[in-house]
Amino acid sequence: MRGYRTILVERVDLGQGTTGRFHGLLHSGGRYVISDERSATECAEESAIVKRIAAEAVEDTGGLFVTTPADDPGYADRFLAACLKTGVPVQEIPAAEALRREPRLNPGISRAFEVQDGAVDAWKLLWGNARSAQEHGAAILSYHWVTEVIREGDRVAGVIARDNRAGEMVRIEAAFVINAGGVWAGEIADMADCPGVTVVPGKGIMIAMNHRLVRTVVNRCEHPGDGDILVPIRTVCVIGTTDVKADSPDDYSIGRDEVQQMLDAGEVIVPGFRQARALHAWTGARPLFKDERAGEGGEDTRHMSRGLALVDHLRRDGVSGFLTITGGKLTTYRLMAETVVDAMVEQMGDSRPCTTATEALPGSEDGRHYWLGSRLAAQEEAMADDQLVCECELMPRRKLVEAARRRPGMTLDDVRRALRLGMGPCQGGFCTYRATGILHGLGDAETERADELLLTFLQHRWLGLEPILYGDQMRQACLDDWIFQGTLDVEHLPVTVPT
Amino acid sequence: MRRAVVIGAGLAGLVAGVRLAEGGMRVTMVAKGVGSLTLSPGVIDVLGYAPGRVDSPREALGAFVAERPDHPYARIGADALEEALAWFTDRVPQMRYRGDGPRNLLLPTAVGVPRPTALAPASMAGADLRGGGRFVVVGLSGLKDFFPRLLADNLARADLPSGAMVGARHAEITASPRPGRADVAGQVYARALDDPAFRGEFAAALRGLAEPGETILLPAVLGMARAGEVFDELQERVGAPIAEVPTVPPSVAGMRLNTELTGAFARAGGRVVLGVEAVGATGSDGRISEVLVRDAARTRALPADAVVLATGGFSAGGIALDSYGGLHEVVLDLPVAGPPAGVAPLSERHLDHQPLMASGVAVDGMLRPVGPGGEPVWDNLHAAGTIVAGAEPWREKSGEGIAIAGGFRAAGAILEET
Amino acid sequence: MTHPLHELMRDSLDHCVKCTICETYCPVAAATPLFPGPKYVGPQAERYRGGDANADASLDYCSSCGICTQVCPQGVKIAEINSQAKAELAQRRGVSLRDRLIARPTLAGWMGAPVWPVANWTTSFGPFRLLLEKVLRIHRKAPMPRWAGRTFQSRTRSRRKAPDPAAPQRKVVFFHGCAANFYEPGTASMAVQVLEHNGLEVIIPKQGCCGLPLQSNGQYDAARAYVRRLAAQLAPYARAGHDIVATSTSCGLMLKREAHEILGVDDDDLRVVSERMFDICEYLVMLDERGELKRDMQPVDMEVPYHAPCQQRGHGVGTPAMELMAMVPGLRASQVDAVCCGVAGTYGLKAEKYDIAMEVGRSLFDQVRASGAALSVCDSETCRWQIAAATDRPSVHPVEMLHRAYGLG
Ligand SMILES: Cc1cc2nc3c(=O)[nH]c(=O)nc-3n(C[C@H](O)[C@H](O)[C@H](O)COP(=O)(O)OP(=O)(O)OC[C@H]3O[C@@H](n4cnc5c(N)ncnc54)[C@H](O)[C@@H]3O)c2cc1C
Ligand SMILES: Cc1cc2nc3c(=O)[nH]c(=O)nc-3n(C[C@H](O)[C@H](O)[C@H](O)COP(=O)(O)OP(=O)(O)OC[C@H]3O[C@@H](n4cnc5c(N)ncnc54)[C@H](O)[C@@H]3O)c2cc1C
Ligand code: SF4
Ligand code: SF4
Ligand code: SF4
């Protein structure tokens, strides 16, 4: 937007990093009013902006903080005072009123506070931003894995990336490189020979439940802990999350004990939670920034941990043309971008003001928020002349065909991130075969690749299913096995499945 | 008259029910809903992979059960299996089951994998790939669950017995029972084809598609109640051999089998009560005397001299896994045999062996569920079908064999008791 | 709208494994492409509901016949979810005058009763039916019952006895429902005679409408009030230990289950009434199992096609009518292979749904006609009217066959 020619380089697909693995909450700030005042204020301000500029990606669900019988009753008053202090809008409502709005909530709640939480669809947000960037002239290179940062003396002059689909190396020269590698930002800083930027992966698991058990975001009114937020987003609600230090940002393992912990936590918010159907589990890694050179004069290490972290490599390492932005929250993504680009503009000696807070993203110009019934309403119109490919998530064939035209060579995971293929109760049980057949029929995937797409998608869905396989989802998994192995015999397709 | 209660209206329950009713018992079948039979491809699998592709189930079975002493087939025995299959095909003449003696057929699936199966309706058996052949795969534009090009292209790459040459191409026709509608379900095609008017239109669309020597492969939607008539007439009118390929659910071929078998049960004098859940049983001296069912208003006791439990595995809800990992048999709270100690219940690789999925009730030689010591829980309770522990039928391609032989054997054990 | 039971029904959507069995059985989806089917409008669409607006008007084509719930192997309460969503839709759109009128058989019945010759003349008079169709959107060919002139209640005032805890087993309460009261008192009388023939004394307390037509037309508050009042009228008898026997399968089912599961009525009166409520055929078969049913039936040399209406199937008691008819020497009853006649209470009366209803029932009508039988048998009154109108021959309650066999009339 500020008129620079920009290239975005992404190693897999947009949303394959932490942004596509988060909890879905557009924070009102309430969660941080006591532990991290600065983050609280940032969230309060930024969430209001995001609701405006990215309306299409946000559902204005509102939020509640409730004191359950398991919570410290004293926290509520401190919470209220801190909200006022940090500028997080809040209003106490009678517990009975909260129960009327959310009948499944633990009937033992003693206090309830209304806040301005929302739910944000990461993929819609990403694609909205991407389209906006493209309209302003940016290029987006997905499946380009940066392997090297080009240094010319004290200056960073670009990157070298491996194009993972074409299988070739690409050299990109640039006047300036911004490292927004999230939890991988340390690795990229290392490539630029700026060691010591340590981003600790704070791993968290989340579980999507089959339908909305609550309509508003429900937080426990307590010091931030594990599994204390339930977020209604799209057709599901998501319980989360844990926070454990992981050895690697690419560690996606999900422990059975963590699942049990989430289910117990769910019971505290909504009694009977364990009887409800879990759909899918996943993990993400929070970028928690820690500068090994703290104390050596690097002043950027001040606002660390949960807050956003700008690392000025010119001051810190004497390297120009290179900035790292990490830490932060999804809610403050825009502020992070503004911060880092401001720093870049300053370093380049320009003065171009930021307009991201006022310019709505493509698709959000009318300011209308997402609403739950939208796909149902669209399908009602399309019913006569289109086929439903993913029935659970109401994804029509036309959408898939259009997407394949726009972006040839998609994997089914790409389709899922763009269109929610296979995200519903059957987890691809019915739509995987359909989507494969359609992409093959269009000529987008030749036969061997089509077989691979099918088996890979099933395998990837399985990774998020296996840890939460119980109750209704176990029945589903067995039915899906009957279909794919029993009826179709896909395990004997003439390809080997990549791991 | 002795009374039997059969719990579950799937393949195993129906087979047991028919045999018991024919054997002179007063049979009441209770089921929460329609069985998985309506979802199944309509072929009769006995043993398809062990884990290599099985050419002759009869020959392979001995070694197979020797390696797997806890497999349902180890309890049922190969002889009972053969007898059961012969008995079964007689009960469902309209399905016109065909096989190749002891050997498996090799039929294409909807993704074009050659899949071994013991018996198939005549309308499918013509696609046997063992001798190779030339095929034109025809899709229906309104049917979203059949991709002729994917089937044809995979068929051309398929792993076939040496010497079998397959040629396959694809085509599509637009004839539809609901013109103007993009999404038409398989059962809608099938019912419409029962009607001679649409059948004529459909035949006209197919005519001329096949070159001499080619067999037309179509999704298995060729008729519902009058499938036999529809198939014969289409072949005649089109002037080329036709073979049906089973579809994913809703599976018309499975529905046909379900209808014919429930008809056989009713003709034998059986009663079906659908939409009720069995919730327990009472009894004494090791015998069940009543099965408890929940109807619209209350819990009712159905008197029973013998009981067949055929409630299916996880997918049908006979076995449940709770959120703590506990395994339960849902109706009678029988002991459940899960994965052996020390074995990881699930694998990270989706298509690997998943020991947890083979959970079920362990049974004795008379298919009576047993406790940990091997003693029957109830003397007059027998189990059949997927609820019996020890198999992953979708991997082995053994589901129908286990259900038919199990239902047949359980009924036999009950009838022998008199 | 949200009550705990709604949440319970809704929770059952979690059990759906998308197997499509319900879609293959739904009679309406088979008859029209306008209806996307039970899986779609039930467990699937329900995940998208709960916002401020309804997004799927096609839901309204569901006839609430309940077949889907019965066949679902996973225990999804599909029809119940649909009914509740339809009620919400109706509330948002506003309930039409027609739907208010046909939902109140007591109102229509009482309006007709004092002036019955005129009323019957108007409902069979073509131009009047055209007017009805224009103004009220009631299809001109839809079967309309004939008012009987004198209600069953007014004919049986002498049977309004108090509960008798001293002899609860020997005395049964007869719940006749609105249809019998206004239109088919003959069927009700035969039922009473059959019960008496079996040595039971029959009490016919004052009783109102169960509210079912209101429920199926989305008027839940009114329906709740009706069913509560009725339950209060019957509860003293149930508490005294009397069984309650009904000839109306749908109204019986309302008291057994639907008032609780769909309307969410949760009171003691209803609970005791539910426990004691029996469909008449179910009751007679139960007597037989206890060895208490008289087997002195005379031969009735007839072939009759029998249709087990969808509401009857909802009782979960099998097909007792077939068992009773099998006891009658010479009577050869065969069950028609069809799940629904299409009318589904008041659904088939509506101008916009009449054709769908006729298509739903087509195979049933064909089978009845092809049988060549002089009459057909069916437990539910609205179905009988529909079948009779479509097949040009009478359709009777199974109890009427028994009445003949016992030589009572
Ligand atoms: C469990 C959990 C729950 C959370 N919940 C919330 C919440 O509810 N609300 C909220 O506001 N925030 C939440 N967060 C925080 C939020 O998700 C993250 O802060 C935010 O998504 C980070 O975005 P990012 O763009 O910095 O990182 P990412 O989204 O991870 O983006 C970094 C990208 O860089 C790419 N990349 C890395 N290395 C290379 C390379 N060598 N070459 C090319 N590309 C590369 C990655 O593939 C990735 O796509 C949560 C985080 C976690 C872990
Ligand atoms: C707010 C929110 C709501 C959600 N709601 C639902 C829901 O309703 N239903 C549902 O099913 N899920 C839901 N999810 C989970 C979602 O489907 C994903 O599981 C999750 O977002 C992680 O997605 P992913 O595509 O990054 O990883 P996945 O593709 O799911 O990861 C599977 C594995 O495959 C690997 N992998 C995948 N593609 C590649 C590639 N191209 N290259 C290398 N490795 C690869 C990953 O690294 C990982 O190890 C939700 C997620 C969020 C954030
Ligand atoms: S029958 Fe039941 S489980 Fe199957 S699709 Fe319908 S609602 Fe779902
Ligand atoms: S209630 Fe009847 S019409 Fe409605 S969806 Fe179920 S089966 Fe179809
Ligand atoms: S009218 Fe009869 S068969 Fe028809 S819907 Fe009713 S009950 Fe069903």
Side-chain angles (χ1 to χ4, degrees):
Chain A
M1 284 185 193
R2 299 198 210 187
Y4 297 103
R5 280 180 53 218
T6 313
I7 295 182
L8 175 69
V9 189
E10 163 58 51
R11 64 176 190 172
V12 191
D13 186 23
L14 299 189
Q16 227 274 322
T18 307
T19 300
R21 301 166 173 281
F22 84 129
H23 198 165
L25 172 59
L26 188 65
H27 280 287
S28 61
R31 185 171 172 79
Y32 305 110
V33 287
I34 290 177
S35 60
D36 185 347
E37 291 180 11
R38 189 195 153 111
S39 285
T41 309
E42 277 172 6
C43 283
E45 290 167 6
E46 282 300 309
S47 64
I49 294 172
V50 173
K51 280 183 190 174
R52 243 185 3 251
I53 62 168
E56 193 202 12
V58 175
E59 183 180 350
D60 202 359
T61 56
L64 288 172
F65 276 77
V66 295
T67 307
T68 74
D71 300 327
D72 167 16
Y75 186 83
D77 287 327
R78 280 180 276 141
F79 168 79
L80 194 56
C83 283
L84 298 177
K85 182 169 166 222
T86 51
V88 172
V90 66
Q91 183 168 10
E92 177 152 20
I93 60 170
E97 170 62 14
L99 287 168
R100 196 192 59 76
R101 288 189 209 169
E102 294 296 347
R104 286 171 213 264
L105 219 52
N106 189 330
I109 59 167
S110 52
R111 315 248 328 239
F113 304 90
E114 208 176 37
V115 294
Q116 295 181 355
D117 287 336
V120 56
D121 182 315
W123 299 283
K124 270 189 183 252
L125 183 68
L126 284 169
W127 287 107
N129 275 284
R131 270 173 61 200
S132 166
Q134 282 167 326
E135 284 174 13
H136 287 92
I140 293 174
L141 298 181
S142 55
Y143 290 94
H144 280 64
W145 193 301
V146 173
T147 52
E148 208 180 300
V149 174
I150 308 168
R151 279 280 298 264
E152 282 174 5
D154 286 344
R155 195 178 88 83
V156 165
V159 297
I160 294 174
R162 190 176 63 242
D163 177 346
N164 272 340
R165 288 204 284 201
E168 49 193 47
M169 303 303 286
V170 180
R171 186 184 168 91
I172 302 164
E173 288 173 9
F176 214 99
V177 173
I178 292 177
N179 169 16
V183 76
W184 296 272
E187 291 175 14
I188 295 171
D190 286 345
M191 294 178 199
D193 251 341
C194 301
V197 175
T198 306
V199 185
V200 180
K203 197 174 96 168
I205 85 151
M206 285 139 291
I207 303 174
M209 308 300 288
N210 185 34
H211 65 113
R212 290 188 173 195
L213 299 167
V214 292
R215 284 162 224 197
T216 35
V217 175
V218 178
N219 307 260
R220 278 169 62 181
C221 195
E222 181 52 289
H223 281 289
D226 289 344
D228 52 3
I229 311 181
L230 188 55
V231 182
I233 178 160
R234 307 289 296 236
T235 44
V236 301
C237 64
V238 180
I239 182 87
T241 161
T242 49
D243 195 351
V244 282
K245 183 173 172 296
D247 294 334
S248 150
D250 296 304
D251 171 10
Y252 296 133
S253 61
I254 299 172
R256 286 255 163 188
D257 51 335
E258 288 178 286
V259 171
Q260 290 299 325
Q261 197 188 349
M262 283 307 105
L263 299 180
D264 285 337
E267 283 285 336
V268 175
I269 302 177
V270 172
F273 195 83
R274 280 178 175 272
Q275 266 68 55
R277 176 175 182 170
L279 278 192
H280 197 91
W282 67 95
T283 60
R286 296 175 187 82
L288 301 179
F289 177 69
K290 182 166 111 195
D291 194 337
E292 301 293 338
R293 294 198 186 162
E296 289 177 26
E299 51 185 295
D300 302 300
T301 52
R302 270 189 328 257
H303 41 265
M304 287 312 96
S305 70
R306 299 286 163 142
L308 60 88
L310 171 69
V311 186
D312 183 341
H313 294 286
L314 182 57
R315 286 198 217 162
R316 181 178 178 275
D317 309 291
V319 177
S320 67
F322 188 55
L323 289 167
T324 292
I325 182 85
T326 184
K329 314 273 334 154
L330 184 115
T331 307
T332 56
Y333 86 93
R334 191 211 60 86
L335 182 63
M336 291 168 72
E338 178 178 336
T339 307
V340 72
V341 178
D342 279 350
M344 177 186 98
V345 170
E346 191 190 313
Q347 199 182 101
M348 293 175 81
D350 278 349
S351 65
R352 302 187 194 179
C354 177
T355 56
T356 51
T358 49
E359 195 174 317
L361 301 176
S364 292
E365 296 88 347
D366 61 6
R368 281 230 302 271
H369 290 303
Y370 166 85
W371 69 290
L372 181 58
S374 54
R375 281 203 172 184
L376 197 55
Q379 181 56 26
E380 188 79 4
E381 299 299 311
M383 201 155 61
D385 42 37
D386 206 350
Q387 296 179 334
L388 260 190
V389 175
C390 174
E391 309 203 8
C392 311
E393 290 297 325
L394 300 178
M395 187 201 100
R397 182 186 178 114
R398 184 177 40 84
K399 291 265 183 202
L400 177 59
V401 173
E402 282 168 8
R405 287 233 169 82
R406 266 198 319 271
R407 287 176 72 200
M410 280 188 297
T411 67
L412 296 188
D413 279 303
D414 295 341
V415 177
R416 171 175 57 80
R417 283 182 285 260
L419 298 171
R420 296 184 67 81
L421 177 86
M423 279 214 198
C426 77
Q427 291 286 300
F430 287 77
C431 56
T432 305
Y433 162 62
R434 287 181 193 144
T436 306
I438 291 169
L439 290 180
H440 176 65
L442 289 172
D444 188 55
E446 44 78 34
T447 318
E448 187 169 344
R449 193 173 124 78
D451 294 347
E452 255 171 42
L453 289 183
L454 185 145
L455 294 182
T456 307
F457 192 60
L458 289 179
Q459 172 62 25
H460 284 171
R461 292 278 80 190
W462 176 252
L463 292 177
L465 272 170
E466 187 264 335
I468 47 102
L469 222 45
Y470 64 84
D472 292 315
Q473 207 58 342
M474 181 67 177
R475 301 179 188 208
Q476 183 74 60
C478 285
L479 179 66
D480 293 356
D481 283 347
W482 275 117
I483 293 175
F484 285 105
Q485 301 180 39
T487 299
L488 296 175
D489 204 0
V490 297
E491 67 275 31
H492 295 99
L493 279 168
V495 286
T496 37
V497 207
T499 27
Chain B
M1 220 188 215
R2 286 172 79 223
R3 294 163 185 260
V5 172
V6 177
I7 310 173
L11 185 56
L14 283 165
V15 165
V18 174
R19 191 167 185 214
L20 289 170
E22 286 181 356
M25 289 186 80
R26 186 177 153 93
V27 188
T28 304
M29 182 177 296
V30 292
K32 200 161 105 184
V34 170
S36 321
L37 194 50
T38 53
L39 308 175
S40 72
V43 296
I44 305 298
D45 291 345
V46 171
L47 186 63
Y49 295 95
R53 192 157 74 199
V54 170
D55 177 45
S56 162
R58 188 185 290 168
E59 284 163 23
L61 213 58
F64 182 78
V65 299
E67 278 171 32
R68 298 169 185 79
D70 293 325
H71 194 277
Y73 279 148
R75 299 282 179 279
I76 296 164
D79 294 342
L81 175 65
E82 299 261 325
E83 193 190 343
L85 289 175
W87 176 91
F88 173 77
T89 46
D90 279 351
R91 296 301 172 289
V92 287
Q94 288 175 46
M95 291 299 291
R96 303 197 281 196
Y97 278 113
R98 302 281 184 274
D100 179 17
R103 302 186 58 209
N104 272 330
L105 308 171
L106 212 49
L107 302 181
T109 72
V111 280
V113 172
R115 181 184 181 286
T117 190
L119 297 168
S123 62
M124 295 179 186
D128 194 355
L129 297 166
R130 288 175 303 167
R134 286 170 51 227
F135 300 93
V136 52
V137 188
V138 180
L140 313 177
S141 55
L143 184 73
K144 66 180 166 195
D145 274 322
F146 194 76
F147 299 94
R149 182 166 170 197
L150 187 60
L151 203 174
D153 289 355
N154 266 327
L155 214 51
R157 308 162 61 227
D159 165 29
L160 291 171
S162 57
M165 298 291 290
V166 165
R169 56 191 189 90
H170 70 278
E172 188 174 85
I173 59 172
T174 54
S176 167
R178 287 183 171 172
R181 284 273 154 175
D183 203 337
V184 183
Q187 69 271 14
V188 176
Y189 277 97
R191 289 181 194 130
L193 282 166
D194 281 348
D195 183 349
F198 180 63
R199 204 184 302 162
E201 190 189 323
F202 195 81
L206 285 177
R207 212 171 296 132
L209 273 183
E211 287 161 10
E214 276 184 336
T215 296
I216 299 179
L217 295 186
L218 279 161
V221 299
L222 306 183
M224 188 71 89
R226 303 171 168 212
E229 175 190 319
V230 173
F231 181 73
D232 294 346
E233 197 183 309
L234 282 179
Q235 279 205 138
E236 195 190 301
R237 287 219 208 168
V238 174
I242 293 177
E244 291 187 303
V245 177
T247 65
V248 298
S251 166
V252 170
M255 286 183 245
R256 291 177 199 144
L257 176 55
N258 185 57
T259 306
E260 195 173 3
L261 210 51
T262 36
F265 180 59
R267 278 192 301 281
R271 303 189 302 167
V272 185
V273 185
L274 202 60
V276 300
E277 206 166 339
V279 292
T282 56
S284 55
D285 296 332
R287 296 184 71 83
I288 293 179
S289 55
E290 288 172 334
V291 173
L292 304 177
V293 299
R294 179 79 207 157
D295 68 23
R298 58 201 143 248
T299 300
R300 218 153 34 106
L302 297 176
D305 297 303
V307 180
V308 178
L309 183 69
T311 43
F314 289 109
S315 66
I319 303 287
L321 178 67
D322 68 29
S323 69
Y324 296 98
L327 287 162
H328 308 274
E329 186 284 309
V330 170
V331 179
L332 302 167
D333 203 17
L334 300 169
V336 177
V343 170
L346 293 171
S347 160
E348 275 186 14
R349 294 185 53 84
H350 177 229
L351 294 176
D352 276 0
H353 172 49
Q354 308 285 358
L356 181 63
M357 300 210 168
S359 305
V361 297
V363 294
D364 66 8
M366 285 162 75
L367 301 195
R368 290 177 301 190
V370 294
E375 70 298 340
V377 182
W378 298 98
D379 288 338
N380 59 345
L381 171 71
H382 303 260
T386 319
I387 190 167
V388 177
E392 277 179 275
W394 47 84
R395 286 169 64 79
E396 301 161 4
K397 315 293 185 271
S398 62
E400 287 83 11
I402 292 174
I404 293 171
F408 183 81
R409 179 77 192 93
I414 291 170
L415 293 172
E416 281 156 25
E417 239 204 343
T418 35
Chain C
M1 196 59 237
T2 322
H3 54 74
L5 258 142
H6 172 85
E7 296 298 329
L8 208 78
M9 293 299 119
R10 188 180 176 178
D11 281 355
S12 78
L13 77 85
D14 270 358
H15 308 322
C16 176
V17 295
K18 324 297 281 192
C19 70
T20 350
I21 284 178
C22 53
E23 310 248 318
T24 63
Y25 279 82
C26 171
V28 175
T32 173
L34 297 173
F35 182 55
K39 172 176 81 170
Y40 182 97
V41 301
Q44 213 157 271
E46 186 64 18
R47 294 174 72 235
Y48 294 83
R49 298 198 187 107
D52 300 327
N54 283 78
D56 56 334
S58 57
L59 159 71
D60 196 41
Y61 285 105
C62 165
S63 77
S64 294
C65 71
I67 294 292
C68 48
T69 299
Q70 258 173 65
V71 297
C72 172
Q74 304 291 355
V76 182
K77 299 280 187 184
I78 316 162
E80 290 76 359
I81 292 174
N82 293 355
S83 288
Q84 289 167 339
K86 272 201 299 184
E88 217 164 302
L89 185 69
Q91 262 179 10
R92 288 231 167 83
R93 287 175 160 180
V95 181
S96 69
L97 174 61
R98 181 221 30 218
D99 290 2
R100 280 179 207 283
L101 260 185
I102 59 176
R104 286 176 175 74
T106 42
L107 185 66
W110 283 118
M111 282 186 347
V115 288
W116 62 275
V118 185
N120 281 340
W121 179 76
T122 50
T123 51
S124 53
F125 178 57
F128 178 73
R129 292 301 302 267
L130 268 179
L131 194 72
L132 263 187
E133 179 169 309
K134 280 247 153 54
V135 178
L136 287 180
R137 313 242 335 114
I138 294 176
H139 198 278
R140 78 189 82 144
K141 291 201 208 133
M144 285 287 225
R146 294 179 71 81
W147 280 291
R150 211 175 140 211
T151 64
F152 183 68
Q153 275 279 320
S154 69
R155 293 174 204 216
T156 56
R157 274 181 220 278
S158 59
R159 292 176 188 271
R160 280 189 194 165
K161 304 246 170 73
D164 179 7
Q169 287 300 319
R170 302 304 325 148
K171 298 183 181 178
V172 294
V173 169
F174 182 55
F175 166 53
H176 50 65
C178 303
N181 194 30
F182 297 113
Y183 313 116
E184 291 192 339
T187 306
S189 305
M190 286 187 234
V192 171
Q193 287 168 25
V194 166
L195 290 167
E196 285 178 341
H197 182 75
N198 282 289
L200 295 162
E201 192 181 317
V202 181
I203 305 174
I204 305 177
K206 194 167 162 39
Q207 50 188 275
C209 173
C210 68
L212 173 63
L214 286 164
Q215 172 193 300
S216 46
N217 285 285
Q219 300 159 58
Y220 275 24
D221 287 338
R224 284 188 197 110
Y226 274 53
V227 75
R228 281 213 180 88
R229 194 180 328 130
L230 174 63
Q233 285 167 331
L234 297 177
Y237 298 91
R239 289 205 178 91
H242 298 292
D243 289 332
I244 306 169
V245 179
T247 41
S248 169
T249 46
S250 48
C251 307
L253 191 62
M254 177 76 172
L255 287 174
K256 276 184 172 183
R257 189 183 72 191
E258 295 196 342
H260 180 59
E261 291 191 351
I262 297 180
L263 296 177
V265 174
D266 195 19
D267 71 21
D268 266 342
D269 285 348
L270 181 67
R271 250 189 304 278
V272 292
V273 170
S274 299
E275 268 291 320
R276 290 276 171 192
M277 178 58 81
F278 294 87
D279 175 69
I280 188 158
C281 294
E282 174 192 11
Y283 197 69
L284 294 172
V285 167
M286 198 179 74
L287 288 184
D288 186 56
E289 278 174 3
R290 295 206 297 249
E292 293 169 11
L293 186 79
K294 290 235 174 87
R295 291 291 201 117
D296 58 343
M297 294 130 179
Q298 311 296 311
V300 177
D301 187 19
M302 262 180 102
E303 204 143 335
V304 288
Y306 166 72
H307 170 54
C310 46
Q311 300 292 345
Q312 191 279 334
R313 293 166 198 240
H315 286 251
V317 296
T319 46
M322 286 294 286
E323 291 175 51
L324 290 173
M325 288 191 281
M327 296 172 196
V328 178
L331 183 61
R332 297 174 304 282
S334 58
Q335 192 171 339
V336 173
D337 178 24
V339 289
C340 184
C341 70
V343 75
T346 54
Y347 181 88
L349 307 182
K350 305 180 179 182
E352 72 278 15
K353 292 178 181 132
Y354 175 80
D355 289 337
I356 297 175
M358 290 305 283
E359 177 60 24
V360 166
R362 187 161 56 99
S363 133
L364 166 61
F365 309 145
D366 288 349
Q367 292 175 60
V368 169
R369 274 194 230 101
S371 74
L375 52 77
S376 66
V377 179
C378 176
D379 311 66
S380 156
E381 49 280 289
T382 48
C383 309
R384 288 199 294 274
W385 302 336
Q386 166 92 339
I387 297 169
T391 61
D392 286 327
R393 71 204 70 199
S395 181
V396 304
H397 192 284
V399 82
E400 189 165 335
M401 302 312 293
L402 227 56
H403 190 260
R404 281 196 200 192
Y406 282 138
L408 297 173

